[in-house]
Amino acid sequence: MTRPPQMTDRAALMRNRNRARPDGLFLHRAAVEEVQDRLTMVNRAFTKVAIVTSQPDEWRRCVPHADIVADDDVLSLQPDTYDLVIHGLCLHWANDPVGQLVQCRNALKPDGFFLGAMFGGQTLTELRAALGQAESEVTGGLSPRIAPMGEIRDLGGLLQRAGLALPVADLVPLKVTYETPWHLMRELRAMGEANALAHRLRRFTGRKVLMRAAEIYTQTFMEDGRIPATFEMIFLTGWAPDASQPQPLRPGSASARLADALGTDETKLKD
């Protein structure tokens, strides 16, 4: 069987993550707080929990008794075991995101809950634009530098493909500001989020490209003396199917007219 193309160089990804510093993991802490808030709104007591994460020290505090699972291509999850599985801000590096969701869904008991946090497509949009324009101007081409990330309009469909019921995707936009683009790039390394794409350039980016990118970033995006960086955090929820869940009615089975419920007159459409 032919192996599908790999987006992520796992060796480079692990090397980058090993260089992460606690002070650079503030987005993981923000995601943990958001997940905890969302769990308080679910009228359910979860007794068997798994958390898929690249940063176990940060995510362990989310649900202290949870099983911590590394975000390998094949997850160490037993089927039909958990009533809650959390995927903690690492799905954007998965070579097979749908496969990760399927594995999480299979690990859930019937009516178990899945809650995932991931970076969305608008993340680092300013840096993407500046690097792309700079490289195009200086070298006449483009190379992969920032991992592609899903758009919210597509991610609900991924939940359905994975077999999760009642899927919902919503986003929380975050804006972080820095003194210069160099400060942002250093922080990305501290996050463990440096370039780990399989088809990245295997040499250092030229000084001219970086200097031009910093110039474009500053000229285009600077606000009140600081440069902004967008981080779009998307949250995915769904349930393992169960007969007790609400089911859609059969088309044409309504027993009341919508016009009556709205207190208005029904008007026929013209041919």
Side-chain angles (χ1 to χ4, degrees):
M1 181 180 293
T2 303
R3 187 179 183 184
Q6 301 293 290
M7 180 193 79
T8 300
D9 179 342
R10 294 290 301 182
L13 181 63
M14 298 308 296
R15 182 173 64 247
N16 292 344
R17 288 174 172 175
N18 288 336
R19 293 171 178 168
R21 303 194 310 266
D23 61 328
L25 300 178
F26 63 95
L27 291 174
H28 282 271
R29 289 190 282 276
V32 167
E33 291 179 3
E34 187 72 29
V35 166
Q36 288 175 322
D37 286 344
R38 289 163 185 259
L39 290 177
T40 63
M41 295 184 285
V42 179
N43 187 23
R44 183 73 60 86
F46 299 108
T47 59
K48 186 65 174 173
V49 181
I51 302 178
V52 180
T53 176
S54 62
Q55 300 296 339
D57 291 340
E58 297 297 332
W59 282 88
R60 188 172 283 111
R61 70 189 69 182
C62 183
V63 182
H65 63 274
D67 294 340
I68 302 297
V69 178
D71 67 321
D72 299 324
D73 288 339
V74 178
L75 302 176
S76 296
L77 292 171
Q78 294 299 315
D80 197 28
T81 300
Y82 299 96
D83 48 20
L84 171 62
V85 174
I86 298 170
H87 208 297
L89 210 59
C90 48
L91 193 59
H92 58 289
W93 282 118
N95 280 310
D96 182 9
V98 176
Q100 292 269 307
L101 295 177
V102 168
Q103 292 178 71
C104 291
R105 180 258 175 275
N106 290 340
L108 290 169
K109 299 176 183 177
D111 205 31
F113 187 49
F114 170 81
L115 201 167
M118 64 181 295
F119 289 122
Q122 296 305 305
T123 296
L124 297 176
T125 183
E126 303 91 351
L127 183 60
R128 293 173 192 268
L131 282 171
Q133 182 179 337
E135 189 171 23
S136 179
E137 289 180 5
V138 174
T139 70
L142 291 173
S143 57
R145 295 187 179 277
I146 299 175
M149 301 175 195
E151 299 291 343
I152 189 168
R153 61 179 177 270
D154 302 320
L155 293 173
L158 294 188
L159 293 170
Q160 289 182 310
R161 286 177 59 188
L164 289 160
L166 308 174
V168 176
D170 67 289
L171 64 86
V172 175
L174 301 173
K175 189 82 74 173
V176 185
T177 64
Y178 296 90
E179 185 177 341
T180 69
W182 310 109
H183 288 82
L184 167 60
M185 294 178 195
R186 283 197 291 270
E187 184 131 274
L188 290 174
R189 288 194 289 272
M191 294 178 189
E193 294 290 340
N195 191 352
L197 293 170
H199 299 292
R200 70 192 185 281
L201 287 178
R202 301 305 175 102
R203 62 178 185 273
F204 290 114
T205 300
R207 178 178 173 82
K208 288 184 178 180
V209 172
L210 290 176
M211 294 296 292
R212 179 59 180 144
E215 182 181 28
I216 293 168
Y217 204 136
T218 302
Q219 291 175 348
T220 306
F221 299 107
M222 179 172 278
E223 302 172 355
D224 299 324
R226 294 178 67 84
I227 60 108
T230 298
F231 292 94
E232 184 180 70
M233 207 173 289
I234 294 180
F235 293 89
L236 308 174
T237 61
W239 297 82
D242 185 71
S244 66
Q245 294 167 351
Q247 302 295 321
L249 295 175
R250 178 176 53 82
S253 62
S255 59
R257 296 168 62 247
L258 179 60
D260 293 339
L262 297 176
T264 187
D265 294 327
E266 183 176 4
T267 304
K268 293 184 177 180
L269 295 175
K270 295 180 179 180
D271 294 334

